[in-house]
């Protein structure tokens, strides 16, 4: 287990040196084999979703040719942000090992706390304004999907 975390930390160090994004690295393991690796690529790719955990999830999914990473473990150099936590849950990873804490990330300038606070009550319009519209039309597609016999729930 320590070896996998060492790899995640080494990826974070390599990423820091390359200036691709924040100093974050991650790897995904299944049955004792690394199946996905990721470094934060936000700056390199101009993609705010290219966090190390997301990049590792994408890499693992390609490797296994699936969207379901059940029975995989994720090793990350830092406690995952809210977006990454959601992606980890959606990918069915049940175990995450992390090195640095979210407080450590905050200490170097990564501001995840305001997102955690926003999620608690979904009401701070200075962060994000959510406005419902056209549900009458959109719900028709949901109703069709609901009655579809061969749908795949993920």
């Amino acid at each position: 287990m320590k070896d996998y975390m060492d790899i995640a930390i080494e990826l974070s160090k390599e990423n820091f040196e390359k200036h691709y994004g924040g100093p974050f690295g991650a790897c995904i393991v299944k049955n004792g084999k690394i199946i996905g690796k990721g470094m934060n690529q936000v700056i390199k790719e101009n993609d705010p979703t290219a966090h190390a955990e997301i990049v590792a999830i994408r890499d693992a999914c390609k490797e296994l040719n699936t969207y379901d990473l059940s029975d995989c473990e994720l090793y990350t150099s830092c406690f995952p942000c809210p977006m990454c936590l959601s992606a980890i849950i959606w990918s069915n990873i049940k175990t995450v090992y992390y090195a640095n804490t979210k407080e450590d990330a905050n200490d170097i300038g990564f501001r995840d706390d305001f997102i955690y606070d926003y999620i608690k009550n979904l009401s701070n319009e200075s962060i994000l304004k959510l406005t419902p519209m056209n549900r009458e039309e959109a719900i028709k597609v949901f109703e069709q999907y609901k009655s579809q016999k061969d749908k795949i729930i993920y």
Side-chain angles (χ1 to χ4, degrees), residues 5-109:
M5 183 57 76
D6 290 342
I7 291 167
I9 293 168
E10 186 58 37
L11 287 166
S12 76
K13 181 180 177 187
E14 180 183 340
N15 201 54
F16 168 72
E17 291 167 353
K18 290 182 177 183
H19 304 287
Y20 286 171
F24 304 103
C27 66
I28 296 175
V29 176
K30 182 171 184 167
N31 299 327
K33 180 183 177 206
I34 294 176
I35 57 159
K37 291 182 183 178
M39 294 185 285
N40 184 294
Q41 305 278 307
V42 170
I43 294 169
K44 179 183 180 228
E45 298 297 329
N46 290 316
D47 179 354
T49 69
H51 290 198
E53 296 89 343
I54 303 275
V55 173
I57 288 169
R58 291 173 181 161
D59 191 39
C61 288
K62 281 184 188 174
E63 175 68 23
L64 296 178
N65 194 33
T66 184
Y67 56 85
D68 185 359
L69 298 179
S70 296
D71 302 321
C72 293
E73 299 174 331
L74 187 140
Y75 294 79
T76 179
S77 64
C78 188
F79 188 90
C81 76
M83 176 183 68
C84 292
L85 283 171
S86 296
I88 291 163
I89 292 167
W90 279 118
S91 67
N92 294 314
I93 294 172
K94 302 293 186 224
T95 302
V96 175
Y97 299 96
Y98 64 94
N100 291 314
T101 67
K102 61 185 172 127
E103 292 79 15
D104 296 329
N106 186 61
D107 190 47
I108 63 168

Side-chain angles (χ1 to χ4, degrees), residues 105-121:
N106 186 61
D107 190 47
I108 63 168
F110 289 88
R111 51 191 173 84
D112 299 345
D113 282 348
F114 85 97
I115 300 173
Y116 289 112
D117 292 340
Y118 177 79
I119 290 169
K120 287 178 188 172
N121 39 8

